[in-house]
Amino acid sequence: MMGPAHSLSGAMAWLGVGAAAAWADHAMPWPVLVAGTLICAGAALAPDLDQKSATISRAFGPISKLLAGLIDKISEWVYNATRGRKDRRRTGGHRTLTHTWIWAVLIGAGFSFAAITWGRWAVLIILFIHMVLAVEGLLWRMARVSSDVLVWLLGATSAWLLAGVLDQPGNGSDWLFDGEPYLWLGLPIILGSIVHTLGDSLTISGCPMLWPLPIAGRRWYPIGPPRFMRFRAGAWVENRVLMPAFMILGAASGVGAVVMGA
């Protein structure tokens, strides 16, 4: 799928978690619901950091482009080093390592570790990264016609404001994990990456999200629905069916999370 659809699916997913958490008597304070939704929307772009032309690879200028090239090479090496007997050798690492659930968990755990180890400044950096990505994904039309500096300023402002609100007692810095402020930050990051892989599994190429489990002689087996149900990224079904569905389901889940958590 394309960036906007990925971001919308990430936002919808966290709002759905918010509704489920409220139903399970672990309601999110509203700052957690808002921050988590934006983080998840941004994190849903992150697996495409293995491709230089992706939205995330352009989001932070030369730094993200350089990182994208490095991730691409690492992903290519891991693929070729671990491929099964029926996996073809390949050049380029797109839709390999960063499109697995192991990667999603490791990245989320890494960000949570950074937040609880280095405190406020780590939280601000995590929020800034994902706020910029959320702007690029959810407001992509406006982001494309504006300068990168304006997007970064919006991301930095949003990160600063959200961190200030979350730091207030009762606003959810330690939601779900009592006594461990911001340990929960990794959850929307993991979820966003997983939702990305599920979205890509609907496209023609599928997605090897279950690596390194061997399936039919392959460790990079492209999981997906039957071929007739798949579509090309950016096709009409993505823009006219899935994206409106993500918005409707996300809105309904958000309302449910607020009403049940009140």
Side-chain angles (χ1 to χ4, degrees):
M1 289 198 299
M2 305 299 285
H6 279 310
S7 281
L8 272 176
S9 67
M12 175 202 67
W14 188 255
L15 290 167
V17 169
W23 179 81
D25 293 327
H26 289 288
M28 297 176 184
W30 71 264
V32 174
L33 186 65
V34 172
T37 298
L38 293 173
I39 292 170
C40 200
L45 295 178
D48 279 341
L49 191 57
D50 60 2
Q51 186 181 31
K52 289 184 178 181
S53 61
T55 300
I56 184 175
S57 303
R58 303 190 306 267
F60 300 96
I63 294 175
S64 54
K65 287 184 180 179
L66 182 64
L67 185 58
L70 177 62
I71 295 295
D72 176 49
K73 293 299 182 184
I74 292 173
S75 298
E76 177 188 339
W77 180 85
V78 172
Y79 173 91
N80 287 321
T82 64
R83 65 192 178 96
R85 69 180 188 279
K86 292 187 178 180
D87 289 312
R88 297 179 179 178
R89 178 172 290 276
R90 59 181 292 177
T91 57
H94 181 49
R95 283 206 187 184
T96 56
L97 181 61
T98 62
H99 286 68
T100 65
W101 290 359
I102 286 180
W103 175 273
V105 172
L106 290 176
I107 290 297
F111 276 118
S112 282
F113 176 80
I116 63 177
T117 302
W118 292 295
R120 181 175 175 80
W121 285 107
V123 171
L124 284 170
I125 291 172
I126 294 168
L127 288 173
F128 168 71
I129 291 171
H130 291 90
M131 293 308 104
V132 169
L133 294 179
V135 171
E136 292 280 1
L138 297 175
L139 303 177
W140 64 280
R141 290 186 186 276
M142 288 179 279
R144 284 188 178 181
V145 299
S146 64
S147 70
D148 288 341
V149 174
L150 288 177
V151 174
W152 298 339
L153 285 173
L154 180 57
T157 302
S158 301
W160 187 268
L161 292 173
L162 282 172
V165 173
L166 286 165
D167 280 342
Q168 298 300 313
N171 277 358
S173 64
D174 61 350
W175 172 75
L176 202 60
F177 302 100
D178 291 338
E180 293 291 350
Y182 296 110
L183 182 58
W184 65 268
L185 277 182
L187 297 179
I189 295 171
I190 293 171
L191 182 61
S193 292
I194 288 176
V195 169
H196 180 110
T197 64
L198 292 173
D200 278 353
S201 74
L202 300 175
T203 61
I204 298 296
S205 300
C207 190
M209 60 184 100
L210 297 183
W211 172 84
L213 293 179
I215 302 174
R218 303 179 66 177
R219 292 192 180 276
W220 297 91
Y221 187 88
I223 302 294
R227 289 283 178 180
F228 74 91
M229 296 177 63
R230 302 188 191 188
F231 56 86
R232 294 188 181 279
W236 67 269
V237 67
E238 178 179 329
N239 297 319
R240 298 180 185 178
V241 177
L242 292 181
M243 289 180 66
F246 294 155
M247 287 188 280
I248 293 170
L249 291 173
S253 296
V255 170
V258 172
V259 170
M260 288 188 289

